[in-house]
Amino acid sequence: KGFGSCSQVGMYYADPVRLPHLFKSLQPDAQACQGECAISIGCTHFTYWPDGGCLLTGPTSHLKAAPEAYARSITGPRECPEVEEVPSHAAEPSRAKVVDFSVDGAPMQPSVPRANPWSREARVLGQNGSSCSAYPTCAEDRLQGECCPNDEGVMLSCCKGPLLNAEEAAPGSACSSFKACMAMNLREGACCPSPAGIRLSCCDL
C-alpha cells in the first residue's frame, strides 16, 4: 500500500479536529499516526502536525486547507488503497491506481520549508493574543484556554468575532498600515502591537 498515494500535505480535518474520545498523541511520523487511526474505533482520517502531534477524526469532519504557517501538516485516510498493477506481459505499461484527495481536483502545490510553526515566535496570534477569554465570541461559547490559535495551532472561528476593547488604534499600530496583516484579513484595530501589547508576526513581513 503506497502511503504517498493517499496522503496529502498542507491539509487537515476539522469541525471537529479530533474525535471526542481520542486525544492528541505524539508520533514519530505521519505513517505512525495513520497506524494509530487504523487501530482506533471510529477513526476514518488522521492529521499529522509539524510538531509530531497526531489528531484522529471521524466521518463528520471536513477536509480543509491548513493555514500557511502549517503547510507541512499531513493528512490521509486510516488505510491507503491497494495498488493494482497491469500484468507485465500486457501491451500497456503497468499503472497504479491513485486516489486524488485534493480539494475540487486541484493538485496540491509542493510545500516550501518553513520555520517551525509551533514555536511561539513563528505562531500567528489573534489581535488580542491567543487566550479564549480575550475574545467575546469565544467567551460566550464558554471556551477556555487557548483559542487564537488553539493548542493544535488552529485559529477558531470565534477569533474573527468582535474584538475586546476594540478602540481606535494608536498611530502607527493599525493593522491596515501593514500589507502582510491585511493579507491575513486583519483589517481592523491595532496589530503592531495589538491591544494586548503583542506585536504580531505580520508586522515584520
Side-chain angles (χ1 to χ4, degrees):
K1 299 181 179 181
F3 180 74
S5 68
C6 69
S7 62
Q8 196 168 178
V9 177
M11 306 293 286
Y12 75 105
Y13 278 86
D15 302 323
V17 295
R18 66 173 176 83
L19 287 166
H21 64 285
L22 297 176
F23 295 94
K24 176 182 177 181
S25 65
L26 294 177
Q27 300 297 333
D29 53 40
Q31 288 180 280
C33 184
Q34 184 186 43
E36 280 296 301
C37 180
I39 63 174
S40 299
I41 297 176
C43 179
T44 58
H45 295 88
F46 71 92
T47 300
Y48 182 73
W49 296 92
D51 69 335
C54 176
L55 290 175
L56 308 181
T57 50
T60 59
S61 295
H62 303 287
L63 185 65
K64 291 186 175 182
E68 184 178 358
Y70 313 113
R72 291 186 297 160
S73 63
I74 301 173
T75 189
R78 63 182 292 148
E79 292 182 341
C80 292
E82 293 284 352
V83 176
E84 295 183 5
E85 293 186 355
V86 177
S88 58
H89 58 77
E92 294 183 1
S94 62
R95 297 177 181 176
K97 286 187 176 180
V98 178
V99 179
D100 182 9
F101 284 92
S102 58
V103 178
D104 296 331
M108 291 296 300
Q109 296 296 324
S111 60
V112 178
R114 304 174 186 277
N116 180 8
W118 296 89
S119 67
R120 205 63 179 173
E121 295 76 12
R123 183 177 293 191
V124 177
L125 304 180
Q127 294 187 58
N128 285 339
S130 59
S131 175
C132 300
S133 61
Y135 297 84
T137 304
C138 299
E140 289 175 5
D141 292 338
R142 298 183 179 180
L143 300 178
Q144 299 179 355
E146 304 292 313
C147 285
C148 308
N150 63 11
D151 292 337
E152 284 77 37
V154 178
M155 193 76 70
L156 303 187
S157 59
C158 60
C159 304
K160 299 178 181 178
L163 296 178
L164 185 68
N165 299 326
E167 58 221 17
E168 184 176 353
S173 66
C175 301
S176 58
S177 299
F178 298 83
K179 292 182 179 180
C181 296
M182 292 283 285
M184 295 178 181
N185 291 322
L186 302 176
R187 303 175 182 277
E188 299 180 1
C191 287
C192 310
S194 70
I198 300 173
R199 184 176 179 84
L200 306 186
S201 61
C202 61
C203 304
D204 303 314
L205 298 179

